[in-house]
Amino acid sequence: MARLPHRLNAALAAAVGAVLVLAAQSPAAARSSLGAWRVSPSGVLELRTSPAVELKAYFEAGTASRGAKLWVDLPGEPNRSRSIGGSGALKEVRIGRPDGNTTRLVLEFQPGIRLNPRLLRLVGTAPDRWRMPLLGLPTRGLISIGEGDLEARAPAAEQRPSFPTSGAPLSPDGLPVVPRGRFKVVVDPGHGGPDPGAIGIAGLRETDVVLDVALQLARLLEARGVTVAMTRTSDIDVDLPPRVALANGAGADAFISIHANALSMARPDVNGIESFYFAGGPQAERSRLLADAVQRQMLAISPRTPDRGVKTARFFVIRRATMPATLVEMGFLTGVLDASRLRDPDYRRRMALALAAGILNYLRAAP
Ligand SMILES: [Zn+2]
């Protein structure tokens, strides 16, 4: 990697979209700012770092005999260099010290594994947490590897500050651009009418939350020239089969069903965001990319909310949809952290922006 000229590194960093500046302080101290790392079986690189450090990520395509490499540079030096054997498409992970004050975390993939750097983004999900879904990486045979405790909390004072939600648009102007008139998306606000869905803290109703977000999402997509069909636009009940029939009849490029979770009122400690796709159909791979894209954006606006991941499921609407489809759970109405946010109109506005950004990113990169 040192053999890459500096300028090329910078260009690659731009291509990876991963130069995220949380704050401009580089610790002068030599201790590594890498607290923990993990590559999950679903192909997500997760990092815990010292709060407010600056990371840089780079990508180098492979050759016939050498695998592609992805690396992240962090301030501070590790106490020793080491390499850890990978599994599946991941050949090896190395921790190195290239220059005496940098920790370099290298993921080397098996030769022949191709990744599109445009789809790779290292996203800060909290001042000390980072996440990069390795979109397009085959997950077959991938076993969780990592070091350190990802869940360890930084001292409360350090965790508090508001931080820039890297990569998450704060206004419609920041949304990704796609060719106007080319795409069609079906937006499905879950539940409605006599079926309020989940009921959360202080009577917060799933049907109201999801309808508000869905209507805003539709407007944002339309403003980007995307044709939107909605399965409902008011508080009425629509059965599941007609929702899917509408989606399938629309010849849409993507389908998103919007929900919020609930557990027991006795579990306000359970919070988190998750996205589902159906792994059994011909659209499984694209659906996974779509789910990954929206999950990433939702997390970016929701610091400290647990990432419950991108998961497979057999929900009717995503199982029967013939186009790439995802069902998102934007948080727990029974969770004290998520409910206080989902109740807030400004958070719902940002959630609609996040979903729009995820969908537009997916459409822009769609194979
Ligand atoms: Zn629901």
Side-chain angles (χ1 to χ4, degrees):
M1 349 223 159
R3 46 183 187 273
L4 284 176
H6 179 74
R7 255 180 321 142
L8 184 51
N9 275 1
L12 285 168
V16 177
V19 184
L20 302 174
V21 183
L22 290 183
Q25 335 163 221
S26 292
R31 218 168 77 87
S32 176
S33 54
L34 180 63
W37 63 270
R38 183 171 91 112
V39 179
S40 73
S42 58
V44 179
L45 170 66
E46 295 166 278
L47 308 176
R48 179 173 61 76
T49 65
S50 309
V53 294
E54 185 179 345
L55 310 189
K56 290 196 170 75
Y58 303 95
F59 180 82
E60 183 184 65
T63 63
S65 57
R66 247 197 11 245
K69 279 196 286 270
L70 173 76
W71 67 100
V72 180
D73 283 352
L74 309 91
E77 206 185 1
N79 46 24
R80 62 190 173 88
S81 301
R82 52 201 185 269
S83 68
I84 298 116
S87 57
L90 179 61
K91 183 177 178 214
E92 184 179 60
V93 177
R94 295 189 292 276
I95 311 285
R97 22 186 191 183
D99 64 8
N101 196 26
T102 302
T103 299
R104 178 166 289 173
L105 175 73
V106 185
L107 274 56
E108 182 171 330
F109 302 96
Q110 294 290 358
I113 296 292
R114 282 221 286 273
L115 292 173
N116 179 352
R118 286 198 308 133
L119 296 177
L120 300 175
R121 281 181 75 91
L122 185 63
V123 176
T125 58
D128 61 344
R129 302 296 165 87
W130 305 80
R131 197 171 183 278
M132 181 190 283
L134 303 169
L135 295 178
L137 183 72
T139 54
R140 186 195 196 102
L142 211 53
I143 296 167
S144 178
I145 59 168
E147 297 177 297
D149 179 10
L150 270 183
E151 301 309 319
R153 320 259 355 154
E158 292 181 327
Q159 207 163 73
R160 191 52 21 170
S162 68
F163 67 100
T165 53
S166 45
L170 297 172
S171 77
D173 299 338
L175 286 174
V177 175
V178 296
R180 299 187 74 84
R182 182 183 299 179
F183 297 111
K184 186 164 194 175
V185 171
V186 176
V187 176
D188 175 44
H191 312 281
D195 166 22
I199 308 280
I201 293 172
L204 190 59
R205 301 194 320 157
E206 182 182 357
T207 179
D208 300 333
V209 169
V210 303
L211 184 59
D212 182 33
V213 172
L215 288 169
Q216 295 192 60
L217 168 62
R219 280 197 295 272
L220 293 168
L221 291 174
E222 281 165 352
R224 275 290 181 258
V226 173
T227 305
V228 176
M230 292 192 70
T231 57
R232 69 177 176 102
T233 54
S234 62
D235 191 17
I236 55 161
D237 187 22
V238 182
D239 268 346
L240 298 182
R243 291 181 198 241
V244 176
L246 182 144
N248 291 348
D253 302 285
F255 175 91
I256 181 166
S257 188
I258 301 176
H259 291 253
N261 254 321
L263 199 58
S264 143
M265 292 292 190
R267 294 301 306 274
D269 55 311
V270 177
N271 296 276
I273 288 175
E274 56 196 356
S275 298
F276 295 93
Y277 69 98
F278 175 55
Q283 301 289 2
E285 185 52 29
R286 289 178 182 195
S287 294
R288 186 173 72 88
L289 293 174
L290 174 63
D292 247 324
V294 290
Q295 175 78 3
R296 184 174 358 145
Q297 294 292 332
M298 288 192 290
L299 288 170
I301 60 153
S302 311
R304 302 191 309 286
T305 283
D307 175 9
R308 295 172 64 91
V310 170
K311 302 170 177 172
T312 63
R314 301 179 54 79
F315 300 126
F316 185 89
V317 290
I318 54 172
R319 180 160 47 91
R320 291 297 184 83
T322 52
M323 76 289 305
T326 184
L327 185 149
V328 300
E329 296 279 5
M330 304 182 291
F332 278 78
L333 299 169
T334 47
V336 71
L337 175 61
D338 293 349
S340 66
R341 287 179 172 163
L342 289 166
R343 171 184 314 285
D344 174 7
D346 191 57
Y347 179 76
R348 296 200 297 266
R349 182 186 66 81
R350 282 181 293 131
M351 180 58 81
L353 280 165
L355 293 175
I359 291 166
L360 292 166
N361 275 336
Y362 164 79
L363 292 174
R364 205 162 54 156

